[in-house]
Amino acid sequence: MRVVLAEDHFLLRDGVTRLLQAFGHEVVAAVDNGPELRRALIDLKPDVAVVDVRLPPDFTDEGLRAAVSARTEVPGLPILLLSQYVEPLYAHELLATGSEGVGYVLKERVSNGAEFIATIARVAGGGTAMDPEVVSKLVTGKSRDEPLNSLTPREREVLECLAQGMSNAGIAEALFVTEKAVAKHVSNIFMKLELPPSESANRRVLAVLAYLDQDR
């Protein structure tokens, strides 16, 4: 993969660069501010961008803004956001540019190099990678009069797993239930939220994320 990396902390930027290179990927640009990030994304059109949300000069949401701006000029440009904070608005603004090839992961979750690389690759391939805490915030942030309110507590747990891209087998293992029970919960969720059922894991994720993000 050709990767553009945006991170203002030198040690973290250098560490992620070395990690990507160790797995055979090319870091075509490693920048530490929003304007340079935007230029790199538009000029280099990488396979994926790994972006810290908060970059100089103001350390608010410069990374996000640069990524969203570049994605409007390069439609479908895969973006994986890294953040220390759970902020549904960041996910909403990124999803507004399209639900494919996007991710939002908390830095504290990056504890396994191979898993992190797999997450980057999934986003580069057009998939999604939404942190469980981000998904939870999106779920609980919906209005009470939304169909989401009709889900049972277990169905909400399954919904959060779906939005993270988990398979039925993965959900069964995570929640200590049978795959048959998961399949039943998934069917109920799609029926209550009026989403088209699908056997494709990625289509399931996109459908759920599209619902969670609508009218926010």
Side-chain angles (χ1 to χ4, degrees), residues 2 25 46 61 79 102 129 139 178 199:
R2 297 173 62 255
H25 305 300
D61 59 357
I79 302 290
V102 296
V139 169
T178 65
E199 294 303 315

Side-chain angles (χ1 to χ4, degrees), residues 79-81 86-96 98-106 109 119-120 122-123 127-139 159-166 202 205-206 208-210 212-213:
I79 302 290
L80 173 62
L81 295 180
V86 179
E87 177 49 73
L89 180 61
Y90 295 159
H92 168 66
E93 293 196 20
L94 185 60
L95 287 168
S99 297
E100 296 188 12
V102 296
Y104 182 162
V105 176
L106 294 181
R109 304 277 189 190
T119 297
I120 296 173
R122 183 161 73 250
V123 173
T128 59
M130 304 302 290
D131 191 278
E133 288 193 37
V134 175
V135 174
S136 179
K137 289 289 187 179
L138 287 172
V139 169
L159 175 64
E160 291 183 23
C161 291
L162 283 174
Q164 295 166 41
M166 296 174 67
N202 195 49
V205 173
L206 296 180
V208 172
L209 288 177
L212 293 177
D213 192 56

Side-chain angles (χ1 to χ4, degrees), residues 6-216:
E7 169 59 56
D8 64 294
H9 291 289
F10 169 76
L11 290 179
L12 184 55
R13 186 171 66 250
D14 184 65
V16 174
T17 296
R18 291 175 183 271
L19 177 64
L20 285 161
Q21 292 172 339
F23 279 83
H25 305 300
E26 179 186 6
V27 178
V28 294
V31 303
D32 65 359
N33 63 78
E36 286 188 22
L37 169 61
R38 184 178 183 279
R39 285 193 295 271
L41 293 178
I42 293 174
D43 293 344
L44 299 175
K45 297 179 176 61
D47 297 317
V48 63
V50 180
V51 178
D52 186 359
V53 170
R54 301 188 176 192
L55 293 174
D58 297 326
F59 293 99
T60 54
D61 59 357
E62 288 84 353
L64 170 67
R65 296 295 179 193
V68 168
S69 176
R71 195 166 150 101
T72 60
E73 294 201 31
V74 185
L77 178 67
I79 302 290
L80 173 62
L81 295 180
L82 290 178
S83 178
Q84 292 179 301
Y85 311 95
V86 179
E87 177 49 73
L89 180 61
Y90 295 159
H92 168 66
E93 293 196 20
L94 185 60
L95 287 168
T97 67
S99 297
E100 296 188 12
V102 296
Y104 182 162
V105 176
L106 294 181
K107 290 183 178 180
E108 65 185 46
R109 304 277 189 190
V110 182
S111 58
N112 182 292
E115 185 176 305
F116 183 49
I117 294 296
T119 297
I120 296 173
R122 183 161 73 250
V123 173
T128 59
M130 304 302 290
D131 191 278
E133 288 193 37
V134 175
V135 174
S136 179
K137 289 289 187 179
L138 287 172
V139 169
T140 57
K142 298 294 285 186
S143 173
R144 289 184 179 181
D145 61 0
E146 294 283 359
L148 194 66
N149 197 47
S150 67
L151 299 184
T152 67
R154 176 62 81 183
E155 288 168 351
R156 291 170 74 93
E157 290 179 326
V158 172
L159 175 64
E160 291 183 23
C161 291
L162 283 174
Q164 295 166 41
M166 296 174 67
S167 65
N168 282 7
I171 296 172
E173 182 178 356
L175 300 182
F176 303 102
V177 296
T178 65
E179 286 191 51
K180 183 176 181 179
V182 171
K184 178 64 175 177
H185 289 314
V186 170
S187 177
N188 288 341
I189 289 168
F190 281 127
M191 177 183 68
K192 290 179 180 181
L193 302 187
E194 299 182 353
L195 294 172
S198 171
E199 294 303 315
S200 166
N202 195 49
R203 286 184 62 194
R204 296 198 313 178
V205 173
L206 296 180
V208 172
L209 288 177
Y211 173 78
L212 293 177
D213 192 56
Q214 69 183 359
D215 300 325
R216 292 186 63 82

